Amino acid sequence: MNSAPISDLPDSASVVIVGAGVSGCAIAREVVKHTPDVVIIEKESDVADGTTKANNAEVHSGIGEKIGTLKAKLNVRGNYLYDEFVEGLGVFLKRQGLMLVITPRTLPPNISGKLPQGIVNLLLTRVVPRLILRNGRKKGIPGQRILTREEVFEMEPHVTRNAVAGVFDPTYGLVSPYKLTIALAENAVQNGARVILNTKVTDVRVEGGKVAGVVTDRGEIKTPLVVNAAGLFADEVADMAGAGGFRIHPRKGASLLFDRDITSDYVHSSVAEFRMFHKALSKGGGAMPTAEGNLQLGPTAIEVDDKYDTSISAEEIEEIFDRFYYLLPEFPRSAIISAFSGIRAPTEEEDFVIGPSEGVHGFVNVAGIQSPGLAAAPAIAEMVMGILHDLGVPREHRADYDPVRKVPPKFSEMSNEQRDALIEKDPRYGRVICRCEHITEGEVVDAIHAIIPATNMDAVKRRTRVGMGRCQGGFCGFRAAQILARELGIPITEVTKDGGESWIFAGETKQFLTEKAER
Amino acid sequence: MKTTRKPDLAVIGAGPAGLGAALAASRAGLKDIILVDRDMELGGILQQCIHDGFGSIVFKEVLTGPQYAQRFIDDVEKANIDVLLNTMVIEMGPGRRITAVNSTDGVVEIEPRSIVLAMGCRERSRHQILIPGYRPAGVITAGAAQRDINIEGIMPGRKLVILGSGDIGLIMARRFTLEGAQVEGVYEIMDHPGGLTRNVVQCLDDFDIPLHLSHTVSFVHGRRRVEGVTVAAVDENLKAIKDSERFVPCDTLCLSVGLIPENELSKHAGVALDSVTAGPVVDERMETSVDGVFACGNVVNVFDLVDYVTKSAEAAGQGAAEYVLQGRKRENPVRVVAGKNVKYVVPQFVSDPSRDVDFYFRVEHPERSVRARVIAGESEVFHKKHKMVRPPEMLQSSAKGAELSAAGPIEEITVEVVPGDE
């Protein structure tokens, strides 16, 4: 395994992508189909380590986007491309569908209150579902169908009895945002791309109106083409090149995660209540299964000042419960196992900002990527590739491009015969490190030496699920840290949770006493 | 394909429960016993419990955890029990079929004639109590911290706040202090300590560590590593009172917020669980709802003394031996009911009322000068006076088989705690 391309900063590259989120990595994988000479610069210690990792994993259909927006266009196109997009990556895509539930709250009280009940019922059961379908058709969303009240309950028995009708959108999907991003990055690297982690872009050098290089805290890379996929920091990177003019305002989204054992069958598709003219900064969220089987509720949408504010307050947790109480009145609240939040990166216009800079030749913005950014990723990559071709990246496909990512073995998904064979070859696959999720030492080692290496606990966790189970690392935390230290050749006190100052151990036993005695 | 092993008994877990059960079964005449454990050595959690306080009932002396474990380990080695270490049971299906894995034998299939479940318990984590705030490094559970320090020789923090006053939390407050770390205080959401009184005295009072009752941690600060916590008093609904919030700088939040019996394997095998104890429903020989599958120790309910774990293990081991050697059938088990001020009772059933039975139970709320009693049908078969009873302190009652039988055909046995004069 060669991890040298990760750490060495190259002198030059045909294309430099700033930011290793899902957009940046999807673009990189597109670029390597034409040229291997692409570099991704990421300030964090792993790919997918910013907005991407806290994404709710939904591959939206475009149903929630305004007709005529770039978001709507790329969302519908991205969803259409998804199966082909993940092919060969070893990433699980599930098309679970979305159920929009129509309830008496679907119409705002200032409309429904003024009309006779009969008319309201007619509107809700006949008119509104057709409006949703027509809206979807205009955007090109295939396969939507109207559900009667009975069909709603048949498909989703836990939905409120107040439901009067529904619309089912079968194209809605689920994909792990970080597993997808890791896979995209690894496949790009397999095809020649270089991913430079822990490196911050400090300036973009422009000469004579043209991009000349990207300056980082570790040196400069000469390049004629820069793709700004810096997520929350895309405005700052654009300003460095003088190619800005938009502002990213961080908006927090908090979600709750529930115990797989209790909620795995609670909903079968994503379920959301449809509310017209309802003021909300996101599409309103919903109840969603995850690829792992846990149910998720959320997300919220709260404007924050700090691009790093991933905290979640007691009030936000209550707010999420309150929001879904109407849709799922008997929801098992006590099955909650986690609350987390991520920061979206919208612009003031609330639409994607994708395009070449008019003033700075060779600078391409891919900014304002919030939901449905994950769903749109294949289409974003496609669009950006078109722009890059116009800017000089060859249109010919490389003959030696390999679309298949090498995926390490997964013990928990193997048959006993396969396990036996694997353990015989390498006994580390017989040592179960994570008791809850049955992850072996062999898999942890694979993650640490992967194409995009996992260099801290969270990175190992994202790739293997070590510590994601019931005990939340109580049993396996030390063992995982020990393996990291051994494989990286560092003292265990230097192992971190998520890079930077996120140290796990303060020192050895007796050390504090010795320090005190010496003082 | 490798051959399936078919021993008389497979014991899952080699902590005090599994060791005790394997030994008891061996003494009762079982010849072919496999003892499986996922760790690298026998003894389970006892090996990290280097403090003393173990064995006062079983050995009538005070031992450390490793000392207590060693007495059983020595006997297991002499008893010719087949020990499989570093071996993880990954599946237990119906029909008593066990699939385990280790790095030398690969996948091991076992179809034993009986099983003792002795997987112990796990700690409740931050997620089950849902503390708002950030999710930085430095939020750890007390048991994990105990392992880090006592087994691995590494310190998970330098300046701590401890949330929860369960026994492990109290013991770790002292342990951290002895290691030169600074424990700012122990915060307990309830109005009474979660651990034994002797631990409050010996671990906090003796080291001037303050215990803040009716307090909680309402926010965790720090994006990368814990930088501090907000603590607050709680109201009668256990919600943080905003006005009382106070920031405490620290680099570690250590949680001692309860233990949960580890029953994922049991569930997959179709073993019925008690919703209060979160462990299998058992009878007086610790047999679960599945014939031939027994359970003992903290997998059944969280005991507060290892001595009780050992007693339950002996019952389970003997029960398994009887099951294999005599093919005992269970008929019309009598239900054991948690009566007045009793939260739960183990065992939940009595299959054979002609035998002596030990009942373990906890009260729902603290109460002074009481009598704990066991009522079979109409007659009281046991009673004992207590000056003070508290939820963290497990109570034990015994009923003589002779007296239970004398009560005639009964439908229920009730365990209750009543005022001393009743």
Side-chain angles (χ1 to χ4, degrees), chain B residues 139-165:
Chain B
V139 180
I140 54 164
T141 54
Q146 187 178 47
R147 185 177 176 93
D148 289 345
I149 299 176
N150 294 346
I151 305 274
E152 313 295 352
I154 196 143
M155 297 299 295
R158 190 181 281 266
K159 187 160 191 235
L160 297 98
V161 161
I162 296 179
L163 176 63
S165 58

Side-chain angles (χ1 to χ4, degrees), chain B residues 244-263:
Chain B
S244 69
E245 285 188 337
R246 176 169 63 89
F247 178 78
V248 180
C250 61
D251 59 37
T252 305
L253 172 63
C254 181
L255 304 174
S256 174
V257 290
L259 300 167
I260 310 168
E262 181 85 296
N263 276 293

Side-chain angles (χ1 to χ4, degrees), chain A residues 44 308-315 317 336-339 411 416-417 419-420 423 427 430-432 435 438 470 472 474-475 478 492 497-499 501-510 512-513 515-516, chain B residues 1-2 38-39 88 90 99 101-103 105-107 109 121-122 125 127-128 130 132-137 144 148-149 152-158 178-181 219 223-225 242 251 262 264 267:
Chain A
E44 299 296 330
Y308 291 108
D309 180 5
T310 51
S311 69
I312 178 162
S313 68
E315 290 76 18
I317 294 169
I336 185 163
I337 55 163
S338 183
F411 182 83
N416 286 339
E417 289 73 25
R419 286 168 176 162
D420 258 339
I423 296 165
R431 279 197 282 275
V432 176
R435 300 163 172 191
H438 297 169
R470 304 178 301 278
Q472 289 291 316
F475 285 123
F478 179 81
I492 197 163
K497 177 176 181 284
D498 190 20
E501 288 302 298
S502 65
W503 54 271
I504 295 168
F505 298 108
E508 293 181 357
T509 46
K510 308 286 169 269
F512 303 165
L513 297 169
E515 284 169 9
K516 270 185 192 168
Chain B
M1 193 62 206
K2 290 180 284 192
R38 48 196 182 187
D39 217 325
M88 177 81 195
I90 52 175
T99 308
V101 63
N102 66 36
S103 53
D105 308 312
V107 178
E109 305 268 14
C121 55
R122 67 169 185 270
S125 70
H127 294 284
Q128 277 99 34
L130 209 72
Y134 287 81
R135 299 167 15 120
D148 289 345
I149 299 176
E152 313 295 352
I154 196 143
M155 297 299 295
R158 190 181 281 266
L178 290 171
E179 275 293 336
F219 203 87
R223 191 167 71 88
R224 298 278 196 189
R225 176 75 195 190
K242 282 270 163 212
D251 59 37
E262 181 85 296
E264 268 55 36
K267 279 187 218 163

Side-chain angles (χ1 to χ4, degrees), chain A residues 92-168:
Chain A
F92 178 63
L93 168 72
K94 181 179 168 181
R95 297 269 185 184
Q96 86 288 3
L98 165 77
M99 179 190 283
L100 280 179
V101 181
I102 297 167
T103 72
R105 303 204 308 181
T106 292
L107 289 172
N110 61 354
I111 294 180
S112 57
K114 289 176 188 151
L115 299 170
Q117 193 57 44
I119 303 286
V120 170
N121 286 346
L122 200 72
L123 282 175
L124 290 175
T125 56
R126 298 294 177 107
V127 181
V128 171
R130 281 181 175 74
L131 284 176
I132 297 173
L133 249 59
R134 202 179 67 175
N135 180 289
R137 267 200 301 271
K138 273 191 188 167
K139 284 181 286 202
I141 300 169
Q144 291 183 311
R145 66 172 199 269
I146 295 173
L147 304 173
T148 63
R149 183 168 187 268
E150 290 66 35
E151 286 171 324
V152 167
F153 300 143
E154 205 174 293
M155 289 170 72
E156 299 294 350
H158 295 293
V159 160
T160 173
R161 297 286 123 179
N162 294 330
V164 296
V167 168
F168 188 70

Side-chain angles (χ1 to χ4, degrees), chain A residues 22-104:
Chain A
V22 68
S23 302
C25 294
I27 294 164
R29 195 208 184 205
E30 206 55 44
V31 173
V32 293
K33 292 176 183 171
H34 306 277
T35 171
D37 195 20
V38 55
V39 171
I40 309 182
I41 309 277
E42 169 57 51
K43 69 176 167 50
E44 299 296 330
S45 59
D46 195 4
V47 302
D49 208 6
T51 294
T52 298
K53 73 178 174 201
N55 182 289
N56 279 52
E58 280 199 302
V59 179
H60 296 283
S61 65
I63 201 167
E65 304 307 328
K66 265 196 207 113
I67 294 171
T69 59
L70 186 57
K71 268 185 179 178
K73 185 180 145 199
L74 296 182
N75 186 169
V76 175
R77 173 80 181 149
N79 185 300
Y80 171 76
L81 291 173
Y82 238 93
D83 295 83
E84 192 191 321
F85 180 61
V86 298
E87 212 181 290
L89 290 179
V91 173
F92 178 63
L93 168 72
K94 181 179 168 181
R95 297 269 185 184
Q96 86 288 3
L98 165 77
M99 179 190 283
L100 280 179
V101 181
I102 297 167
T103 72

